[in-house]
């Protein structure tokens, strides 16, 4: 194979550097100009070392007699090229080395073009270029080249020549030597192949290390191992197995039938098995043939005999000084692995061991985190008549995949339902533990029947008493299932989002307070809003609407856009549209590999009673000291009358109800019970609607109608009731009394 130009070596015995007449050569530049002007082979681009048909050298620079025996002993031939006449001459050895047999000699016309035709097409340009340079510089050149015979046989030749100048300093002749370099070239080819194989193995180790470093789970490690292309020794079978408590578990395999591995999977590894020997000695075990396997391990030969394998390599997987598994590399033919191949397999075993140990730790941590998260979150969501709920939880894409986000659905006294969504600071096991305690405490407070503000205040004090240096954000909403009224409390959390009956979606502003655990004495305000049948309220944690590259406003806008999309057809999908909606919202979250925060999602749809109409009765207890409850009851009454279809009674009913409730609270020291009922007459009887409002208390003191003066600040309540109600009265009730009034409305024609 030709190489790049070599540096000029020592002068060959091919004549003195001066002319025969003793005249000095012209300067180098003049010599090059003369050579280019007078060399016919150079002008034609055909210059190369040439050989004749074995004619003796006829020049005055023939090989000296003292050098001939040395050349003959070393198989070196000589050549002489007349550059001006483009004629080549060489001795018999040179012809033999080049491969000119009798047939070739007849075809060879001793010209440069004829000789170039003998060379390999890849080598001829290189040889020509080097000779041209030597002629132009009156210097030396040399190269490897290959000749191709008429039968396609190829041989390698090496030459070295020197250009001689005439009396005028022009290139006249090139003389030199040739010798057979086939063996030398074969050595170089073998060295090149070995170097290429080493390069491939080094590249394989780098690629295997990269692929195994990216493997996260044990399944990933098994997949990467069984798909690795081993350079130079492609195996016919690969097995990766873990070793725990004396038992083997096959993690992955290629090139084996399932029945061939069934006897080993989850079984005790025999102590005489070569894999057991490799694990005990922490060193690979190689079997080059079936005979060697049978002789060394006769006790377990029967299982190996049933396979088609003929040679094996058992590589122990050792991590942190502990044997955790074994790799088996097998071949269908007998194979005695050399030192480089064994080193390659041993290195691969070390890489697989480290990756497998890391993957097993990851799987164990993931299972621990997933189990802990399952215990902390509700296993099931209770079914409450009148509402439909759907929940989703997505763990963070990094770390232990566990955090402090949670959701809960709590059945409350009176058929109501409580919705909880929260997020404890942090994304670790500590945060998950705090979340579990806080969820249980908040659930207990809600189940006891405390109003939403009291539930949130008690939860905040509970978290502060834990003294964990953690805080939590939370939104708690109590839903009146009878009327679709929602009482929401927010502690540093996101506002709820409501999807209305017309398909629009928007956030509902809720009065907020400090996160739980920061100010134990924080008082939280309640925000009230209502739902129509079929409307949906959504609570979520910030992981759904905040991510890298997406701020909160953008996330809320995306969420409301998804929520406003048309719902799926239950008849077509066979699922409740709320479940499809929850899946669609969760799918908008960032990919699990990039998500930095947990996501908890709770969706509730108020279905209402059958027919879509709320029950036409409202009953509420008003505490003696809870004056804010009066305003809440008035608001609930407004919603109820609007839903019952008697909105024209709202103003009058609200005013009179407020008077009766205020009278009961002011003049007694007990709680009051407020009840509103709507009665409808049949259409045949006119279809009138009659609203009856009752306020019960436990006082025996009856109200007295008075006529207050112009400057009096009280005493007009019963006057308003008498003037505006269609009927009113006071009835005894055991230890107390019941005040009532009625309003009637006749449907329009």
């Amino acid at each position: 194979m030709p190489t790049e130009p070599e540096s000029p070596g020592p002068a060959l015995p091919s004549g003195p550097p001066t002319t025969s007449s003793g005249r000095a050569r012209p300067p180098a530049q003049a010599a090059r100009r003369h050579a280019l002007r007078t060399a016919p082979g150079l002008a034609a681009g055909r210059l190369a070392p040439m050989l004749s048909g074995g004619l003796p050298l006829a020049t005055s620079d023939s090989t000296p007699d003292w050098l001939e025996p040395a050349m003959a002993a070393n198989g070196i031939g000589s050549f002489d090229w007349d550059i001006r006449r483009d004629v080549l001459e060489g001795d018999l050895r040179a012809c033999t080395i080049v491969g000119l047999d009798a047939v070739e000699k007849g075809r060879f016309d001793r010209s440069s073009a004829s000789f170039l035709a003998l060379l390999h097409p890849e080598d001829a340009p290189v040889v020509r270029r080097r000779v041209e340079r030597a002629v132009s510089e009156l210097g030396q050149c040399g190269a490897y080249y290959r000749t191709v015979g008429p039968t396609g046989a190829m041989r390698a030749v090496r030459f070295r020549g020197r250009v001689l100048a005439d009396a005028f300093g022009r290139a006249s002749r090139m003389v030199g030597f040739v010798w057979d370099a086939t063996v030398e070239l074969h050595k170089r080819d073998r060295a090149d192949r070995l170097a290429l194989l080493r390069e491939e193995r080094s590249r394989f180790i780098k690629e295997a290390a990269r692929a195994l470093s990216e493997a996260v789970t044990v399944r990933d490690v098994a997949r990467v191992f069984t798909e690795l292309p081993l350079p130079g020794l492609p195996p016919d079978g690969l097995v990766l197995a873990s070793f725990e408590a004396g038992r083997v578990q096959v993690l992955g395999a290629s090139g084996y039938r399932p029945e061939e591995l069934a006897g080993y999977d989850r079984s005790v590894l025999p102590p005489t098995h070569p894999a057991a020997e490799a694990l005990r000695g922490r060193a690979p075990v190689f079997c080059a043939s079936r005979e060697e396997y049978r002789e060394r391990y006769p006790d377990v030969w029967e299982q190996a005999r049933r396979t088609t394998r003929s040679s094996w390599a058992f590589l122990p997987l050792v991590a942190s000084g502990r044997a955790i598994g074994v790799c088996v590399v097998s071949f269908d033919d007998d194979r005695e692995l050399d030192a480089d191949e064994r080193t390659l397999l041993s290195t691969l075993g070390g890489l697989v061991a480290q990756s497998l140990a890391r993957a097993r730790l990851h799987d164990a941590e993931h299972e621990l985190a997933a189990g802990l998260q399952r215990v902390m979150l509700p296993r099931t969501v209770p079914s409450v008549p009148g509402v439909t709920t759907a929940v989703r939880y997505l763990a963070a894409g990094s770390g232990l995949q566990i955090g402090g986000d949670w959701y809960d659905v709590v059945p409350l006294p009176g058929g109501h339902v409580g919705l909880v969504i929260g997020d404890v600071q942090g994304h670790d096991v500590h945060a998950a533990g705090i979340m579990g305690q806080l969820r249980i405490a908040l659930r207990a407070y809600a189940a006891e029947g405390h109003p939403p503000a009291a539930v949130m205040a008690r939860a905040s004090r509970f978290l502060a008493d834990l003294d964990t240096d953690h805080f939590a954000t939370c939104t708690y909403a109590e839903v009146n299932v009878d009327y679709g009224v929602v009482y929401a409390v927010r502690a540093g959390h996101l506002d709820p989002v409501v999807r209305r009956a017309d398909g629009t979606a928007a956030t509902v502003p809720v009065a907020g307070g400090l996160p739980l655990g920061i100010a134990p004495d924080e008082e939280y305000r309640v925000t009230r809003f209502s739902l129509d049948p079929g409307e949906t309220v959504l609570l979520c944690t910030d992981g759904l609407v905040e991510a890298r590259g997406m701020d909160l406003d953008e996330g809320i806008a995306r969420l409301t856009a998804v929520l406003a999309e048309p719902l799926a057809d239950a008849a077509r999908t066979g699922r409740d549209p709320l479940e499809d909606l929850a899946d669609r919202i969760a799918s908008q979250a960032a990919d699990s590999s990039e998500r930095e925060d947990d996501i908890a999602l709770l969706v509730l749809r108020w279905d209402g009673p059958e027919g879509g109409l709320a029950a036409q009765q409202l009953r509420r207890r008003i505490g003696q000291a809870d004056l804010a409850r009066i305003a809440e009851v008035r608001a609930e009454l407004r919603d109820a009358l609007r839903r019952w279809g008697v909105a024209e009674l709202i103003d009058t009913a609200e005013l009179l109800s407020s008077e009766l409730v205020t009278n009961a609270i002011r003049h007694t020291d007990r709680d009051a019970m407020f009840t509103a009922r709507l009665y409808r007459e049949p259409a045949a009887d006119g279809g009138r609607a009659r609203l009856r409002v009752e306020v019960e208390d436990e006082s025996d003191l009856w109200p007295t109608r008075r006529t207050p003066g112009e400057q009096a600040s009280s005493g007009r309540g019963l006057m308003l009731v008498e003037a505006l109600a269609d009927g009113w009265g006071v009835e005894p009730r055991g230890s107390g009394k019941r005040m009532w009034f009625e309003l009637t409305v006749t449907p329009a024609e």
Side-chain angles (χ1 to χ4, degrees):
M1 180 69 68
T3 61
E4 289 304 312
E6 302 178 7
S7 60
L12 297 176
S14 55
T18 60
T19 64
S20 59
S21 61
R23 296 173 57 187
R25 290 179 178 173
Q29 292 182 349
R32 283 195 291 272
R33 284 198 298 269
H34 286 300
L36 292 171
R37 190 166 53 246
T38 60
L42 177 63
R46 300 174 299 168
L47 297 180
M50 296 299 175
L51 302 175
S52 71
L55 298 178
L57 296 175
T59 66
S60 59
D61 295 313
S62 301
T63 306
D65 293 339
W66 60 267
L67 186 58
E68 177 63 25
M71 294 177 60
N74 290 279
I76 299 176
S78 62
F79 70 89
D80 187 338
W81 174 36
D82 189 332
I83 297 176
R84 296 181 181 179
R85 294 187 300 124
D86 193 18
V87 176
L88 293 148
E89 294 180 345
D91 60 14
L92 182 60
R93 283 192 301 272
C95 295
T96 303
I97 291 170
V98 175
L100 287 172
D101 55 14
V103 177
E104 284 297 314
K105 291 176 184 178
R107 296 177 180 176
F108 182 63
D109 62 2
R110 303 197 302 176
S111 67
S112 60
S114 180
F115 180 77
L116 287 175
L118 300 177
L119 302 187
H120 191 282
E122 296 178 357
D123 300 349
V126 178
V127 173
R128 183 193 310 117
R129 186 170 60 252
R130 295 188 180 184
V131 173
E132 289 176 349
R133 185 184 302 116
V135 171
S136 65
E137 298 177 355
L138 298 177
Q140 303 181 37
C141 65
Y144 285 99
Y145 61 82
R146 294 165 293 178
T147 61
V148 184
T151 61
M154 188 179 299
R155 65 177 63 196
V157 178
R158 184 171 183 178
F159 86 92
R160 179 171 289 279
R162 180 171 183 171
V163 177
L164 304 179
D166 60 11
F168 300 100
R170 296 174 300 183
S172 175
R173 298 164 52 203
M174 174 179 282
V175 296
F177 305 96
V178 295
W179 61 92
D180 192 326
T182 303
V183 175
E184 191 175 344
L185 186 60
H186 288 171
K187 291 181 179 179
R188 294 182 59 189
D189 290 343
R190 184 174 180 274
D192 291 342
R193 288 194 301 270
L194 291 177
L196 180 60
L197 182 58
R198 291 192 182 98
E199 183 180 353
E200 291 179 353
R201 289 174 176 173
S202 177
R203 184 167 56 251
F204 164 77
I205 290 297
K206 293 179 181 177
E207 293 176 355
R210 178 190 57 78
L212 289 171
S213 66
E214 294 176 355
V216 178
T217 65
V218 171
R219 180 177 297 180
D220 294 338
V221 174
R223 175 184 53 79
V224 170
F225 172 74
T226 54
E227 294 177 357
L228 286 176
L230 291 172
L233 63 163
D236 300 296
L238 291 170
V239 178
L240 176 64
S242 63
F243 184 72
E244 192 72 35
R247 292 185 177 272
V248 174
Q249 180 181 359
V250 177
L251 304 177
S254 63
Y256 283 89
R257 299 188 303 273
E259 55 270 18
E260 293 178 331
L261 300 175
Y264 293 100
D265 194 21
R266 302 183 184 279
S267 64
V268 177
L269 189 65
T272 56
H273 197 279
E277 179 181 333
L279 291 172
R280 286 194 303 270
R282 306 291 197 271
V285 173
F286 301 96
C287 292
S289 65
R290 297 172 69 88
E291 291 74 15
E292 181 182 353
Y293 194 109
R294 183 172 59 252
E295 292 176 2
R296 294 175 60 183
Y297 309 103
D299 295 341
V300 294
W301 163 245
E302 188 60 29
Q303 287 180 308
R305 185 184 64 82
R306 293 194 291 267
T307 68
T308 60
R309 305 293 181 258
S310 296
S311 56
W312 298 263
F314 298 90
L315 311 175
L317 304 181
V318 181
S320 301
R322 178 171 172 265
I324 62 173
V326 64
C327 295
V328 182
V329 181
S330 58
F331 307 90
D332 286 345
D333 57 342
D334 294 351
R335 186 168 305 193
E336 184 70 40
L337 301 177
D338 59 27
D340 289 342
E341 292 170 337
R342 295 190 178 196
T343 300
L344 175 67
L345 292 178
S346 299
T347 304
L348 176 61
L351 294 176
V352 174
Q354 297 300 321
S355 182
L356 181 61
R358 184 178 63 253
R360 290 175 62 176
L361 180 61
H362 172 274
D363 286 353
E365 291 178 344
H366 185 271
E367 181 61 28
L368 173 63
L372 181 60
Q373 195 75 56
R374 286 193 299 268
V375 171
M376 295 300 179
L377 292 175
R379 297 186 59 182
T380 59
V381 175
S383 176
V384 178
V387 297
T388 303
T389 56
V391 295
R392 296 292 185 272
Y393 178 84
L394 302 177
S398 60
L400 285 179
Q401 298 185 344
I402 188 172
D405 292 21
W406 89 95
Y407 59 81
D408 207 352
V409 179
V410 185
L412 301 177
H416 295 186
V417 61
L419 307 180
V420 185
I421 199 81
D423 183 2
V424 175
Q425 172 196 9
H427 303 286
D428 50 21
V429 176
H430 192 196
I434 297 173
M435 176 267 287
Q437 298 179 73
L438 183 58
R439 183 183 75 84
I440 294 174
L442 196 148
R443 183 184 182 91
Y445 296 145
E448 289 177 353
H450 297 289
V455 170
M456 195 68 82
R458 294 185 179 217
S460 180
R461 286 193 293 271
F462 172 82
L463 181 57
D465 291 341
L466 290 179
D467 193 20
T468 61
D469 293 329
H470 282 61
F471 64 86
T473 63
C474 181
T475 294
Y476 173 68
E478 179 181 333
V479 181
N480 185 325
V481 179
D482 292 335
Y483 306 106
V485 180
V486 181
Y487 301 93
V489 182
R490 188 168 63 88
H493 204 75
L494 301 174
D495 289 320
V497 182
V498 174
R499 186 184 191 275
R500 295 299 181 181
D502 59 0
T504 61
T507 58
V508 177
V510 174
L514 293 175
L516 304 181
I518 293 181
D521 298 328
E522 175 79 4
E523 296 293 336
Y524 295 92
R525 292 188 298 163
V526 178
T527 300
R528 175 187 171 281
F529 60 93
S530 59
L531 302 173
D532 287 330
E535 293 186 342
T536 301
V537 59
L538 178 145
L539 304 177
C540 67
T541 55
D542 56 0
L544 183 64
V545 293
E546 278 188 308
R548 185 184 305 172
M550 181 178 67
D551 59 21
L552 181 60
D553 292 338
E554 180 183 354
I556 292 294
R558 289 177 53 182
L559 175 60
T560 54
V562 173
L563 197 61
E565 294 177 3
L567 299 178
D569 185 5
R572 180 177 58 84
T573 62
R575 302 177 65 198
D576 191 296
L578 196 68
E579 294 291 337
D580 291 325
L581 178 62
D583 290 339
R584 188 169 62 195
I585 294 172
S587 66
Q588 297 298 314
D591 182 77
S592 60
S593 63
E594 300 177 356
R595 189 170 55 250
E596 300 175 348
D597 200 357
D598 308 331
I599 294 176
L601 173 66
L602 172 57
V603 187
L604 176 140
R605 182 185 64 230
W606 183 57
D607 300 322
E610 186 177 357
L613 295 176
Q616 295 179 327
Q617 174 177 306
L618 177 64
R619 186 173 177 85
R620 290 289 180 269
R621 177 175 294 276
I622 303 173
Q624 174 66 31
D626 191 5
L627 299 181
R629 186 64 168 164
I630 300 177
E632 296 176 5
V633 171
R634 287 201 303 264
E636 290 189 41
L637 179 62
R638 288 196 301 268
D639 286 339
L641 296 179
R642 186 179 66 253
R643 297 180 191 282
W644 297 344
V646 289
E648 58 269 37
L649 299 179
I650 290 178
D651 293 339
T652 304
E654 181 181 2
L655 174 61
L656 301 186
S657 297
S658 179
E659 291 295 334
L660 293 189
V661 171
T662 303
N663 185 74
I665 295 296
R666 182 177 180 181
H667 298 289
T668 66
D669 57 356
R670 301 293 180 87
D671 295 347
M673 179 63 70
F674 175 86
T675 305
R677 298 185 182 91
L678 185 68
Y679 301 93
R680 295 185 183 274
E681 296 179 354
D685 297 336
R688 291 191 310 167
R690 179 168 56 89
L691 174 67
R692 182 180 177 91
V693 176
E694 300 175 350
V695 177
E696 301 177 9
D697 60 58
E698 298 182 1
S699 173
D700 295 331
L701 180 63
W702 283 52
T704 302
R705 182 181 180 281
R706 295 181 295 172
T707 304
E710 295 182 359
Q711 302 298 322
S713 60
S714 62
R716 297 183 177 87
L718 292 183
M719 294 178 61
L720 290 174
V721 173
E722 183 179 25
L724 300 178
D726 295 323
W728 72 282
V730 182
E731 301 174 354
R733 179 185 169 273
S735 60
K737 61 182 182 297
R738 176 190 295 119
M739 297 184 62
W740 60 271
F741 68 86
E742 292 183 352
L743 299 174
T744 58
V745 59
T746 303
E749 295 293 338

